[in-house]
């Protein structure tokens, strides 16, 4: 066979060259660039609003969004996810800023970043496996509700022209993708509505009404606080709260994007990356932040971005828009951005989860957990509260459900000299509480065998229950033999037995 017949084509159809980044493809590059631009436009009013919540100058929130997005593009574990200044973080650190000033706020942001790196290195991301799907669904739905509620004030007490502009923006968002997806519909909507309002001289609320945009890049520096133990003691509680809230929101958002894109991401790297981004943000005088669900959905679900390039460009475009095109950006009508966020809310909400067919098939406990998560988030405006309460509710329901899975059956020997109790199921604090009452201490013969071949002992409560059973039989002069323990159960029982049950 000639060597020419073995020649391999330089490039097979449908395959990219090894080592070539995905974003170098012209189609992908266009998608990432345009997605980054749309996200940057949507970030501006959000960052200004969160600055107001935190009680700082709008430039502080915009600087934070810039540094968070740029740094996390390199250090984060979830490509295409957007991190910036957020309302959750603003709520946590606002009291510190009000009582002690911006210097202490910035110091707390840096310390929060350190905490996040430590928590990431310790494996806090692994706790995500304990968050049930019903909590995740409740998290997504409550987030969509919160984002929508944040848009409502922009529609109250405004000129009548806002409403037709909003309707036009929604129409463009819905119908433009049917014509072409080459350009993101949100970008088309923002440009079109801005052009209309400027050309026609329509007086409606604009981005510029939210606050002044910065005219220069942030400058790095140290926080203006005394570097003493008293300062550390003061800022540590706020920093720890910010670290937990930021990580929880970021990891939940990362998990959501994983499901949307059908890809996996490193939650440990994301945790550490969030910490690095907050440290850098603090040294540049920003208010800190974490992943943003609304802007992430714009980037991933609406615009179709999939790489780190869109995240990086969102931060870069944000500063370019503020510094170079500030006057133009200030003229963007808020109605255009509200239209974008309303569509994002609609796309984010899991409508299937509340469909009558789904609710009929769903166990009542799952529905309750989802509802509790949504209610807690919406009432507290704190995602962390909803996720924690929802997860605890799910655990309680699960414990109550499996507590009844431990069954006890007895077989008496024909000669009446021995009885064998067979225990089936999982023995832990909930199920073991009822175990002690399922034996006939007075009526059983002198020898009792408890067969645990079909059971597993999980905790000290179960060992204490077994000790209590032996003790009750011993008080009546009867012997007990426990058999069939598997390896882990035998080790736990051997270590703890004898000193836990009352009278043991």
């Amino acid at each position: 066979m000639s060597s020419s017949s073995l020649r391999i084509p330089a490039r097979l159809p449908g395959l990219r060259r090894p080592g070539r980044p995905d974003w170098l493809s012209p189609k992908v590059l266009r998608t990432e660039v345009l997605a980054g631009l749309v996200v940057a436009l949507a970030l501006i009013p959000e960052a200004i609003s969160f600055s107001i919540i935190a009680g700082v100058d709008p430039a502080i929130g915009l600087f934070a969004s810039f540094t968070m997005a740029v740094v996390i593009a390199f250090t984060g574990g979830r490509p295409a996810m957007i991190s910036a200044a957020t309302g959750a973080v603003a709520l946590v650190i606002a009291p510190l800023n009000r009582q002690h000033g911006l210097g202490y706020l910035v110091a707390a942001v840096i310390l929060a970043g350190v905490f996040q790196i430590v928590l990431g290195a310790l494996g806090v991301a692994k706790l995500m496996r304990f968050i049930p799907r019903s909590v995740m669904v409740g998290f997504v739905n409550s987030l969509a509700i919160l984002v929508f509620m944040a848009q409502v004030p922009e529609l109250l007490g405004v000129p009548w022209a806002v409403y037709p502009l909003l309707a036009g923006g929604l129409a463009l968002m819905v119908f433009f993708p049917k014509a072409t997806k080459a350009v993101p519909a949100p970008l088309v909507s923002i440009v079109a509505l801005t052009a209309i309002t400027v050309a026609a001289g329509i007086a409606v609320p604009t981005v510029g009404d939210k606050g002044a945009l910065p005219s220069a890049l942030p400058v790095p520096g140290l926080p203006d606080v005394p570097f003493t133990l008293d300062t550390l003691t003061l800022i540590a509680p706020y920093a720890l709260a910010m670290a937990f809230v930021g990580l929880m929101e970021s990891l939940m958002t990362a998990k959501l994007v994983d499901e949307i894109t059908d890809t996996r991401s490193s939650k440990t790297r994301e945790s550490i990356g969030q910490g690095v981004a907050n440290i850098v943000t603090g040294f540049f005088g920003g208010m800190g932040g974490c992943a943003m669900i609304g802007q992430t959905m714009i980037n991933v679900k609406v615009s179709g971005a999939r790489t780190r390039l869109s995240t990086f460009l969102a931060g870069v475009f944000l500063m370019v828009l503020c510094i170079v095109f500030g006057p133009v950006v200030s003229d963007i009508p808020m109605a255009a951005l509200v239209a974008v966020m309303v569509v994002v809310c609609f796309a984010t909400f899991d409508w299937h989860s509340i469909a009558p067919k789904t609710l009929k098939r769903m166990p009542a406990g799952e529905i309750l957990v989802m509802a509790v998560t949504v209610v807690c988030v919406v009432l507290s405006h704190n995602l962390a509260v909803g996720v924690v309460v929802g997860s605890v509710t799910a655990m309680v329901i699960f414990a109550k459900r499996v507590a009844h899975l431990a069954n006890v059956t007895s077989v008496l020997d024909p000669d009446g000299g021995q009885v064998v109790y067979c225990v089936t199921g999982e023995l832990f604090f909930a199920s073991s509480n009822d175990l002690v009452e399922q034996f006939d201490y007075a009526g059983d013969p002198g020898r009792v065998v408890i067969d645990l071949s079909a059971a597993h002992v999980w905790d000290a409560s179960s060992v204490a229950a077994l000790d209590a059973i032996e003790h009750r039989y011993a008080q009546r002069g009867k012997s007990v033999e426990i058999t069939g323990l598997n390896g882990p159960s035998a080790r736990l029982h051997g270590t703890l037995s004898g000193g836990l049950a009352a009278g043991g």
Side-chain angles (χ1 to χ4, degrees):
M1 185 178 292
S2 66
S3 60
S4 61
S5 63
L6 294 175
R7 190 172 298 148
I8 300 174
R11 186 180 183 188
L12 294 174
L15 295 179
R16 62 183 179 88
R17 291 189 180 93
R20 180 181 179 181
D22 290 335
W23 54 267
L24 282 180
S25 162
K27 182 178 179 181
V28 174
L29 181 60
R30 182 183 67 238
T31 299
E32 300 296 312
V33 171
L34 294 176
L37 179 58
V38 173
V39 170
L41 289 168
L43 276 174
I44 293 173
E46 295 276 323
I48 295 174
S49 297
F50 298 146
S51 299
I52 294 171
I53 292 174
V56 298
D57 188 88
I60 303 299
L62 290 165
F63 288 157
S65 296
F66 162 62
T67 54
M68 287 293 298
V70 169
V71 175
I72 206 67
F74 295 96
T75 63
R78 174 64 259 178
M81 192 167 76
I82 304 297
S83 291
T86 60
V89 169
L91 288 170
V92 170
I93 59 177
L96 179 63
N97 180 64
R98 284 197 302 268
Q99 297 171 21
H100 302 282
L102 180 61
Y104 286 87
L105 181 151
V106 172
V109 170
I110 295 173
L111 184 58
V114 174
F115 283 150
Q116 288 179 328
I117 292 176
V118 173
L119 290 170
L122 292 176
V124 69
K126 294 179 181 178
L127 296 176
M128 288 296 295
R129 71 182 68 179
F130 296 106
I131 297 179
R133 183 185 180 279
S134 51
V135 173
M136 186 68 185
V137 174
F139 166 83
V140 171
N141 289 348
S142 59
L143 218 39
I145 294 171
L146 281 184
V147 174
F148 180 81
M149 289 172 60
Q151 311 312 309
V152 173
E154 305 295 339
L155 302 175
L156 300 177
V158 295
W160 68 268
V162 167
Y163 303 110
L165 286 173
L166 174 66
L170 292 174
L172 280 172
M173 291 282 293
V174 172
F175 296 110
F176 186 82
K178 299 181 183 300
T180 177
K181 294 184 179 180
V183 181
L187 181 58
V188 174
S189 177
I190 292 170
V191 172
L193 294 188
T194 303
I196 291 172
T197 53
V198 172
I202 302 174
V204 292
T206 63
V207 170
D209 296 331
K210 288 290 184 179
L213 302 180
S215 57
L217 289 171
V219 178
L222 295 175
D224 184 18
V225 296
F227 292 90
T228 62
L229 183 60
D230 289 340
T231 299
L232 181 62
T233 304
L234 175 65
I235 66 174
Y238 295 96
L240 190 59
M242 175 184 165
F244 274 115
V245 169
L247 280 185
M248 185 172 294
E249 187 164 348
S250 298
L251 294 177
M252 292 289 284
T253 304
K255 187 175 180 181
L256 175 61
V257 178
D258 286 353
E259 294 181 1
I260 292 173
T261 60
D262 195 23
T263 57
R264 297 180 63 183
S265 62
S266 172
K267 305 302 184 296
T268 297
R269 178 176 173 180
E270 184 62 41
S271 302
I272 296 174
Q274 289 287 332
V276 174
N278 272 304
I279 291 174
V280 173
T281 297
F283 281 119
F284 275 91
M287 57 180 276
C290 62
M292 297 189 74
I293 183 69
Q295 276 64 23
T296 297
M297 289 299 100
I298 292 175
N299 197 46
V300 174
K301 203 164 186 177
V302 179
S303 300
R306 292 294 183 270
T307 76
R308 298 176 185 275
L309 182 62
S310 58
T311 306
F312 173 76
L313 289 178
V316 173
F317 284 149
L318 175 63
M319 281 294 98
V320 172
L321 288 170
C322 291
I323 297 172
V324 181
F325 300 101
V328 177
V329 173
S330 296
D331 287 336
I332 295 176
M334 285 302 300
L337 298 175
V338 170
V340 172
M341 297 311 296
V342 168
V343 172
V344 168
C345 296
F346 187 86
T348 302
F349 196 92
D350 187 351
W351 298 100
H352 176 73
S353 66
I354 61 171
K357 290 183 179 180
T358 303
L359 295 177
K360 286 180 181 179
R361 295 196 304 265
M362 188 89 68
E366 301 283 321
I367 298 174
L368 176 62
V369 169
M370 181 176 68
V372 166
T373 303
V374 171
V375 170
C376 287
V377 171
V378 172
L379 291 181
S380 68
H381 285 247
N382 191 321
L383 296 167
V385 171
V387 172
V388 170
V389 174
S391 297
V392 170
T393 304
M395 291 177 187
V396 171
I397 292 174
F398 174 76
K400 184 177 180 181
R401 185 182 303 158
V402 300
H404 303 292
L405 298 181
N407 297 316
V408 179
T409 57
S410 62
V411 177
L412 184 65
D413 280 1
D415 60 3
Q418 172 180 289
V419 62
V420 178
Y421 282 93
C422 294
V423 181
T424 303
E426 307 299 322
L427 299 182
F428 65 111
F429 63 89
S431 59
S432 60
N433 289 333
D434 298 328
L435 185 66
V436 180
E437 307 302 327
Q438 299 190 48
F439 293 81
D440 186 3
Y441 301 100
D444 283 341
R447 176 173 169 77
V448 178
V449 176
I450 302 177
D451 183 5
L452 298 177
S453 301
H456 187 98
V457 179
W458 285 103
D459 59 7
S461 297
S462 303
V463 176
L466 293 173
D467 282 356
I469 294 169
E470 291 186 86
H471 179 67
R472 289 195 184 187
Y473 277 116
Q475 286 181 321
R476 293 168 174 80
K478 301 175 182 181
S479 65
V480 176
E481 179 185 3
I482 297 177
T483 64
L485 286 168
N486 57 34
S489 299
R491 285 191 292 272
L492 183 64
H493 184 266
T495 301
L496 300 178
S497 180
L500 296 174

